């Protein structure tokens, strides 16, 4: 999530900078699927399964015990559910695994499929409607809270901070991490809101032509005469 947010926040440095960061990720080629499933999708599904098992056996009691740690515990479970639903929406909306269900509703097109070669423009189109931005804002903040507060609870579970003083220090670390990621995430979301789609496509087309030219040169076979000429 941290890498994803930082990559998206690079949109504030311009369309070209963002496109180059996306190109670095997609330069993995077919190995990208292995990386995504090994380090993203499978861990998220496992974490979600365990989380839903924990939630199914817990009852909120913040009305009876309105302690800060108890409220944080409840929010941790609630934001986990919201974050999971948001991640599913995010993947379906941008990648259209189920036949572009969000491509057009009430005559408004907003489900632009994400294109790695046209990263900024396609993402900007997908995020154009206000209600989509709101979904992303709520989902992103939920994921950030779940992650940053989870660092604190994970440390307690693993016995990394057991004393009250250590838990207070860890709590501040979680707050700092959460605030930092919130700034990064909001920066990314607002950055896509100000992308000039037509201008971005022009930049992306030029960069795509440059990549194609480099690829064609690298793929061109070399003749023995060329090697001899190079050695002279």
């Amino acid at each position: 999530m941290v890498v994803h947010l930082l990559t998206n926040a690079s949109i504030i440095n311009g369309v070209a900078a963002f496109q180059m960061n996306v190109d670095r990720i997609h330069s993995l080629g077919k190995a990208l699927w292995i990386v995504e499933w090994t380090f993203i999708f499978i861990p998220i599904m496992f974490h979600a399964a365990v989380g839903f098992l924990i939630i199914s056996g817990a009852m909120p009691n913040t009305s009876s015990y309105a302690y800060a740690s108890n409220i944080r515990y409840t929010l941790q479970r609630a934001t986990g559910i919201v974050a999971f639903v948001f991640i599913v929406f995010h993947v379906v909306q941008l990648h259209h695994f189920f036949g572009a269900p969000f491509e057009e509703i009430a005559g408004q097109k907003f489900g632009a499929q994400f294109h790695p070669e046209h990263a900024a423009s396609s993402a900007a189109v997908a995020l154009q409607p206000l209600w989509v931005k709101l979904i992303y804002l709520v989902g992103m903040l939920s994921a950030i809270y779940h992650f940053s507060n989870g660092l604190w609870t994970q440390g307690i579970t693993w016995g990394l901070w057991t004393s009250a003083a250590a838990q207070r220090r860890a709590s501040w670390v979680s707050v700092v991490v959460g605030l930092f990621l919130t700034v990064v995430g909001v920066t990314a979301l607002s950055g896509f809101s100000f992308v000039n789609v037509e201008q971005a496509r022009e930049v992306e087309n030029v960069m795509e032509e440059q990549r194609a030219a480099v690829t064609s040169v690298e793929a061109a076979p070399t003749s023995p005469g060329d090697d001899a000429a190079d050695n002279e």
Side-chain angles (χ1 to χ4, degrees):
M1 182 186 74
V2 176
V3 174
H4 193 50
L5 288 176
L6 289 172
T7 300
N8 289 340
S10 67
I11 187 63
I12 65 171
N13 295 322
V15 172
F18 178 64
Q19 184 64 55
M20 284 189 291
N21 287 331
V22 173
D23 288 342
R24 290 190 187 97
I25 295 173
H26 285 266
S27 65
L28 293 172
K30 295 180 180 179
L32 182 59
W33 279 88
I34 299 175
V35 173
E36 287 180 332
W37 279 96
T38 303
F39 298 104
I40 301 176
F41 295 128
I42 292 177
I44 285 177
M45 288 187 292
F46 176 79
H47 184 75
V50 173
F52 281 119
L53 285 175
I54 294 174
I55 292 173
S56 64
M59 293 295 292
N61 59 357
T62 52
S63 59
S64 301
Y65 305 97
Y67 303 117
S69 58
N70 196 29
I71 293 175
R72 289 176 66 171
Y73 176 88
T74 303
L75 286 175
Q76 182 72 5
R77 301 310 182 248
T79 54
I81 296 173
V82 175
F84 179 76
V85 173
F86 167 68
I87 291 171
V88 173
F89 171 82
H90 172 58
V91 172
V92 172
Q93 184 213 14
L94 289 185
H95 297 281
H96 295 171
F97 286 168
F98 304 108
F102 303 111
E103 185 173 0
E104 184 173 344
I105 293 180
Q108 183 179 28
K109 292 183 180 295
F110 66 90
Q113 184 172 0
F114 179 76
H115 295 286
E117 296 82 8
H118 299 82
S121 60
S122 59
V125 172
L127 293 170
Q128 279 181 347
L130 176 61
W131 72 271
V132 175
K133 290 187 180 73
L134 293 176
I135 288 178
Y136 270 77
L137 181 62
V138 172
M140 179 184 66
L141 293 179
S142 296
I144 290 173
Y145 179 89
H146 191 76
F147 173 78
S148 57
N149 187 64
L151 296 176
W152 180 70
T153 57
Q154 184 182 47
I156 295 175
T157 302
W158 288 7
L160 299 178
W161 29 81
T162 55
S163 66
Q167 291 178 13
R168 282 195 298 270
R169 290 193 295 269
S171 181
W172 279 110
V173 171
S174 297
V175 170
V176 171
V177 170
L179 290 176
F180 170 73
L181 292 179
T182 297
V183 171
V184 172
V186 172
T187 298
L189 188 60
S190 59
F192 286 113
S193 300
F194 293 101
V195 169
N196 184 314
V197 175
E198 295 302 321
Q199 187 180 60
R201 285 173 179 160
E202 293 179 4
V203 174
E204 292 159 353
N205 288 336
V206 171
M207 296 182 70
E208 187 176 15
E209 292 173 358
Q210 292 173 342
R211 288 194 299 271
V214 171
T215 301
S216 64
V217 171
E218 291 178 340
T222 57
S223 63
D226 294 335
D227 294 337
D230 291 339
N231 293 329
E232 292 179 356

Coordinates of all heavy atoms in Angstrom, one line a residue, residues 30-62:
K30 N 5.6 -10.3 -17.6 CA 4.8 -11.3 -17.1 C 5.0 -11.7 -15.6 O 4.2 -12.2 -14.9 CB 4.9 -12.6 -17.9 CG 4.5 -12.4 -19.4 CD 4.7 -13.7 -20.2 CE 4.2 -13.5 -21.6 NZ 4.4 -14.7 -22.4
A31 N 6.2 -11.3 -15.1 CA 6.5 -11.6 -13.7 C 5.7 -10.7 -12.8 O 5.6 -10.9 -11.6 CB 8.0 -11.3 -13.5
L32 N 5.1 -9.6 -13.3 CA 4.3 -8.7 -12.5 C 3.2 -9.4 -11.9 O 2.8 -9.2 -10.7 CB 3.8 -7.5 -13.3 CG 3.0 -6.5 -12.6 CD1 3.8 -5.9 -11.4 CD2 2.6 -5.4 -13.6
W33 N 2.5 -10.4 -12.6 CA 1.4 -11.1 -12.1 C 1.9 -12.0 -10.9 O 1.2 -12.1 -9.9 CB 0.8 -12.0 -13.2 CG -0.1 -11.3 -14.1 CD1 0.2 -10.7 -15.3 CD2 -1.5 -11.2 -14.0 NE1 -0.9 -10.1 -15.8 CE2 -2.0 -10.4 -15.1 CE3 -2.4 -11.6 -13.0 CZ2 -3.3 -10.1 -15.3 CZ3 -3.8 -11.3 -13.2 CH2 -4.2 -10.5 -14.3
I34 N 3.0 -12.5 -11.0 CA 3.6 -13.3 -9.9 C 3.8 -12.5 -8.7 O 3.4 -12.8 -7.5 CB 4.9 -14.0 -10.3 CG1 4.6 -15.0 -11.5 CG2 5.5 -14.8 -9.1 CD1 5.9 -15.6 -12.0
V35 N 4.4 -11.3 -8.9 CA 4.6 -10.4 -7.8 C 3.3 -9.9 -7.1 O 3.2 -9.9 -5.9 CB 5.5 -9.2 -8.3 CG1 5.6 -8.1 -7.2 CG2 6.8 -9.6 -8.7
E36 N 2.4 -9.6 -8.0 CA 1.1 -9.1 -7.5 C 0.4 -10.1 -6.6 O -0.2 -9.8 -5.5 CB 0.2 -8.6 -8.6 CG 0.7 -7.3 -9.2 CD -0.2 -6.9 -10.4 OE1 -0.9 -7.7 -11.0 OE2 -0.3 -5.6 -10.7
W37 N 0.3 -11.4 -7.2 CA -0.4 -12.4 -6.4 C 0.4 -12.9 -5.2 O -0.2 -13.2 -4.2 CB -0.7 -13.6 -7.4 CG -1.9 -13.4 -8.2 CD1 -1.9 -12.9 -9.5 CD2 -3.3 -13.5 -7.8 NE1 -3.2 -12.8 -9.9 CE2 -4.1 -13.2 -8.9 CE3 -3.9 -14.0 -6.7 CZ2 -5.5 -13.2 -8.9 CZ3 -5.3 -14.1 -6.6 CH2 -6.0 -13.7 -7.7
T38 N 1.7 -12.9 -5.3 CA 2.5 -13.4 -4.1 C 2.5 -12.4 -3.0 O 2.4 -12.7 -1.8 CB 3.9 -13.7 -4.6 OG1 3.9 -14.6 -5.7 CG2 4.8 -14.2 -3.4
F39 N 2.7 -11.1 -3.3 CA 2.9 -10.1 -2.3 C 1.7 -9.1 -2.1 O 1.7 -8.3 -1.1 CB 4.1 -9.2 -2.6 CG 5.4 -10.0 -2.7 CD1 6.0 -10.4 -3.9 CD2 6.0 -10.5 -1.5 CE1 7.1 -11.1 -4.0 CE2 7.2 -11.2 -1.6 CZ 7.8 -11.5 -2.8
I40 N 0.7 -9.3 -2.9 CA -0.5 -8.4 -2.7 C -1.8 -9.1 -2.5 O -2.4 -9.1 -1.4 CB -0.6 -7.4 -3.9 CG1 0.7 -6.5 -4.1 CG2 -1.8 -6.5 -3.7 CD1 0.7 -5.6 -5.3
F41 N -2.2 -9.8 -3.6 CA -3.6 -10.4 -3.6 C -3.7 -11.5 -2.6 O -4.7 -11.6 -1.8 CB -4.0 -10.9 -5.0 CG -4.1 -9.7 -5.9 CD1 -3.5 -9.7 -7.2 CD2 -4.9 -8.6 -5.6 CE1 -3.6 -8.7 -8.0 CE2 -5.1 -7.6 -6.5 CZ -4.4 -7.6 -7.7
I42 N -2.8 -12.5 -2.6 CA -2.9 -13.6 -1.7 C -2.8 -13.2 -0.2 O -3.6 -13.6 0.7 CB -1.8 -14.7 -2.0 CG1 -2.2 -15.4 -3.3 CG2 -1.8 -15.8 -0.9 CD1 -1.2 -16.4 -3.8
P43 N -1.8 -12.3 0.1 CA -1.7 -11.8 1.5 C -3.0 -11.1 2.0 O -3.4 -11.2 3.1 CB -0.5 -10.9 1.5 CG 0.4 -11.4 0.5 CD -0.6 -11.9 -0.6
I44 N -3.6 -10.3 1.0 CA -4.8 -9.5 1.4 C -5.9 -10.5 1.6 O -6.7 -10.3 2.6 CB -5.1 -8.5 0.3 CG1 -4.2 -7.3 0.3 CG2 -6.6 -8.0 0.4 CD1 -4.4 -6.3 -0.8
M45 N -6.1 -11.5 0.8 CA -7.2 -12.4 0.9 C -7.0 -13.2 2.2 O -8.0 -13.5 2.9 CB -7.3 -13.4 -0.3 CG -7.8 -12.7 -1.5 SD -8.1 -13.8 -2.9 CE -6.4 -14.3 -3.3
F46 N -5.8 -13.6 2.5 CA -5.5 -14.4 3.8 C -5.8 -13.5 5.0 O -6.5 -13.9 6.0 CB -4.1 -14.8 3.8 CG -3.7 -15.5 5.1 CD1 -4.1 -16.8 5.4 CD2 -3.0 -14.8 6.1 CE1 -3.7 -17.4 6.6 CE2 -2.7 -15.4 7.3 CZ -3.0 -16.7 7.5
H47 N -5.3 -12.2 4.9 CA -5.6 -11.3 6.0 C -7.1 -11.0 6.2 O -7.6 -10.9 7.3 CB -4.8 -10.0 5.7 CG -4.9 -9.0 6.8 ND1 -4.2 -9.1 8.0 CD2 -5.6 -7.8 6.9 CE1 -4.5 -8.0 8.8 NE2 -5.4 -7.3 8.2
A48 N -7.8 -10.9 5.1 CA -9.2 -10.6 5.2 C -10.0 -11.8 5.8 O -10.9 -11.6 6.6 CB -9.8 -10.3 3.8
A49 N -9.6 -13.0 5.4 CA -10.2 -14.2 5.9 C -10.0 -14.3 7.4 O -11.0 -14.6 8.1 CB -9.7 -15.5 5.2
V50 N -8.8 -14.1 7.9 CA -8.5 -14.2 9.3 C -9.3 -13.0 10.0 O -9.9 -13.2 11.1 CB -7.0 -14.0 9.6 CG1 -6.8 -13.9 11.1 CG2 -6.3 -15.3 9.0
G51 N -9.3 -11.9 9.4 CA -10.0 -10.7 10.0 C -11.5 -11.0 10.2 O -12.1 -10.6 11.2
F52 N -12.1 -11.5 9.1 CA -13.5 -11.8 9.2 C -13.9 -12.9 10.3 O -14.9 -12.8 10.9 CB -14.1 -12.2 7.8 CG -14.3 -11.0 6.9 CD1 -13.7 -10.9 5.7 CD2 -15.2 -10.0 7.3 CE1 -13.9 -9.8 4.9 CE2 -15.5 -8.9 6.5 CZ -14.8 -8.8 5.3
L53 N -12.9 -13.8 10.4 CA -13.1 -14.8 11.5 C -13.1 -14.2 12.9 O -13.9 -14.5 13.7 CB -12.1 -15.9 11.4 CG -12.2 -16.9 10.2 CD1 -11.0 -17.9 10.2 CD2 -13.5 -17.7 10.4
I54 N -12.2 -13.2 13.0 CA -12.0 -12.5 14.3 C -13.3 -11.7 14.6 O -13.9 -11.6 15.7 CB -10.8 -11.7 14.3 CG1 -9.5 -12.5 14.3 CG2 -10.8 -10.8 15.6 CD1 -8.2 -11.8 14.2
I55 N -13.7 -11.0 13.5 CA -14.9 -10.1 13.7 C -16.1 -10.9 14.0 O -17.0 -10.4 14.8 CB -15.1 -9.3 12.4 CG1 -13.9 -8.3 12.2 CG2 -16.4 -8.5 12.4 CD1 -13.9 -7.5 10.9
S56 N -16.3 -12.1 13.4 CA -17.5 -12.9 13.6 C -17.6 -13.3 15.0 O -18.7 -13.6 15.5 CB -17.4 -14.1 12.7 OG -16.3 -15.0 13.0
G57 N -16.5 -13.3 15.8 CA -16.6 -13.8 17.2 C -16.5 -12.6 18.2 O -16.4 -12.8 19.4
A58 N -16.6 -11.4 17.7 CA -16.5 -10.2 18.6 C -17.7 -9.3 18.5 O -18.3 -9.2 17.4 CB -15.2 -9.4 18.2
M59 N -18.1 -8.8 19.6 CA -19.2 -7.9 19.7 C -18.7 -6.5 20.1 O -18.0 -6.4 21.1 CB -20.3 -8.4 20.6 CG -20.9 -9.7 20.2 SD -21.9 -9.4 18.7 CE -23.2 -8.4 19.3
P60 N -19.1 -5.4 19.4 CA -18.7 -4.1 19.8 C -19.2 -3.7 21.2 O -20.4 -4.0 21.5 CB -19.3 -3.2 18.8 CG -19.6 -4.0 17.6 CD -19.9 -5.4 18.2
N61 N -18.4 -3.2 22.1 CA -18.9 -2.8 23.4 C -18.3 -1.4 23.8 O -18.1 -1.2 25.0 CB -18.4 -3.9 24.5 CG -16.9 -4.0 24.5 OD1 -16.2 -3.4 23.7 ND2 -16.4 -4.9 25.4
T62 N -18.1 -0.6 22.8 CA -17.6 0.8 23.1 C -18.6 1.6 23.9 O -18.2 2.5 24.6 CB -17.3 1.5 21.8 OG1 -18.4 1.4 20.9 CG2 -16.1 0.9 21.1

